[in-house]
Amino acid sequence: MLLACGAMAAVDVFDVPLTHRGPAVARATLTIEHTQSVPVIHFWNATVLVGESQYGFGIGDDLCSGYQPVTKQNLGYGVLTEASDRVKVPMYQGSAPCTDGALAVRAGSTLTVWYADPTPGCERVAYTSWYATQGFEATYVWQTMMSPILALAIDTPPGTQALLMSVVEGSPDKNPNAVCGAETQTLVSQLRDGGAVLHQAEMLLPASGGQGHLVLANEALLPGAGPHAVDLAVGANVFDSAVRTGGCCGDAALFAVFVPE
């Protein structure tokens, strides 16, 4: 599916009606490629909207012409009702200048949905995000050491284990990687339990001529009933620009879905 320029031209890469009613978490795993119709760097943006959406914010990053496709994720949470029974993933692209169809979402991209028990007290989903806790103005500035950006205290019910998922967009004020093919500086994210690293993601910041953007995703299965102190930690191997999350610069989200052992 080819993407078009600007949020007003967003296309639904997924638009899936569901028979389930009640809370649900959805994860879009998207394979995105630069079609090389033009050599200009373009960015993509994707949002995951679940029924009556309670969490669903757009995130995205940049892609150079001539690069291999990238696979990225975003998360959404909401309540599926008779009036709002669909999961949608609207996406668009942008650049200056922007050419429609410069980016495409490839076949093989997936949408995964976890249903929660709608009985009060049995939802078995917990989440937090920067926007949810800090609002839309404040920004978190990444450190050059791993530091927690989000924390989530969970109590895993007996007979279940916690599937932990996170996404975070890090945005340097001025991208230190300005030339395609010459990227050197990276961002890192970790899922941790009590300080122990469960999963780590590290990627090069995609090249761009101005502000940079990079989406990182983590996933880990945390066995064992009882309390856990989970956090999402981030670190920037960037020394000549502040890297931010929040405000204009994208969100960070941390989810725990309790699944059967």
Side-chain angles (χ1 to χ4, degrees), residues 28-261:
T29 302
L30 305 158
T31 300
I32 307 154
E33 66 177 342
H34 199 301
T35 64
Q36 303 183 48
S37 56
V38 292
V40 178
I41 299 168
H42 280 63
F43 73 83
W44 59 272
N45 184 282
T47 307
V48 180
L49 300 174
V50 180
E52 296 178 357
S53 179
Q54 297 185 16
Y55 177 84
F57 295 104
I59 57 175
D61 55 30
D62 304 286
L63 192 57
C64 289
S65 174
Y67 277 33
Q68 294 295 315
V70 298
T71 299
K72 296 299 180 81
Q73 295 182 346
N74 199 4
L75 299 165
Y77 174 74
V79 179
L80 295 164
T81 66
E82 291 296 329
S84 187
D85 66 347
R86 312 181 81 89
V87 177
K88 297 183 178 182
V89 182
M91 292 188 67
Y92 65 92
Q93 62 169 36
S95 184
C98 184
T99 302
D100 286 340
L103 301 186
V105 180
R106 296 185 58 168
S109 298
T110 60
L111 180 68
T112 307
V113 180
W114 291 266
Y115 300 134
D117 186 337
T119 305
C122 298
E123 291 84 357
R124 297 196 173 186
V125 172
Y127 75 94
T128 186
S129 82
W130 180 264
Y131 285 154
T133 58
Q134 305 297 324
F136 298 102
E137 300 297 329
T139 63
Y140 176 87
V141 179
W142 295 39
Q143 307 300 306
T144 54
M145 64 186 72
M146 300 303 297
S147 304
I149 184 173
L150 294 174
L152 186 63
I154 61 173
D155 192 356
T156 306
T160 66
Q161 50 194 338
L163 173 62
L164 305 176
M165 297 178 287
S166 67
V167 291
V168 58
E169 179 179 333
S171 301
D173 295 340
K174 176 64 176 178
N175 195 345
N177 296 334
V179 179
C180 294
E183 299 92 343
T184 60
Q185 300 187 48
T186 65
L187 301 182
V188 186
S189 64
Q190 295 175 339
L191 277 180
R192 308 188 304 190
D193 176 33
V197 177
L198 304 174
H199 184 265
Q200 175 172 301
E202 180 175 7
M203 296 185 70
L204 289 164
L205 274 161
S208 66
Q211 186 181 35
H213 304 277
L214 176 63
V215 173
L216 294 171
N218 299 84
E219 178 180 345
L221 195 61
L222 179 59
H228 296 276
V230 176
D231 68 52
L232 171 63
V234 296
N237 297 312
V238 176
F239 307 101
D240 40 9
S241 175
V243 177
R244 303 178 191 275
T245 296
C248 68
C249 307
D251 199 13
L254 173 58
F255 277 72
V257 179
F258 302 114
V259 297
E261 286 184 322

